[in-house]
Amino acid sequence: DIFMGYHIKGLLSVFLIFKAYDYPFYGTQWHPEKNSFEWTLHEAINHSEEAVAVTQYVADFFVNQGKCPSHTI
């Protein structure tokens, strides 16, 4: 599965998150932790309540995937 997003300035279509069909492999083409942990004046990083909530949701999702019983060695 591929979840699409758009680069607003150039209206380019890019993929943001992917998931493998048969394996628990996920990847992002963005830094989901940035909204909560990176504070700089050189980038316009969104620190709104909604942006931080998305960060926490993604973190919780990845942690819960690692806790699945089928992922044991």
Side-chain angles (χ1 to χ4, degrees):
D1 296 335
I2 296 177
F3 302 95
M4 300 298 288
Y6 293 93
H7 184 273
I8 301 300
K9 288 183 182 179
L11 297 178
L12 299 174
S13 176
V14 297
F15 73 90
L16 301 175
I17 301 174
F18 74 88
K19 175 187 177 288
Y21 288 111
D22 299 323
Y23 302 99
F25 295 161
Y26 301 90
T28 64
Q29 192 172 332
W30 53 288
H31 292 275
E33 76 285 353
K34 228 174 177 176
N35 302 86
S36 294
F37 298 107
E38 191 163 331
W39 298 82
T40 179
L41 299 176
H42 304 290
E43 292 182 66
I45 299 171
N46 185 351
H47 294 101
S48 69
E49 184 177 342
E50 292 84 6
V52 173
V54 168
T55 295
Q56 191 60 53
Y57 177 84
V58 171
D60 291 343
F61 174 80
F62 282 125
V63 168
N64 288 331
Q65 288 297 300
K67 292 179 179 179
C68 289
S70 63
H71 300 168
T72 60
I73 298 176

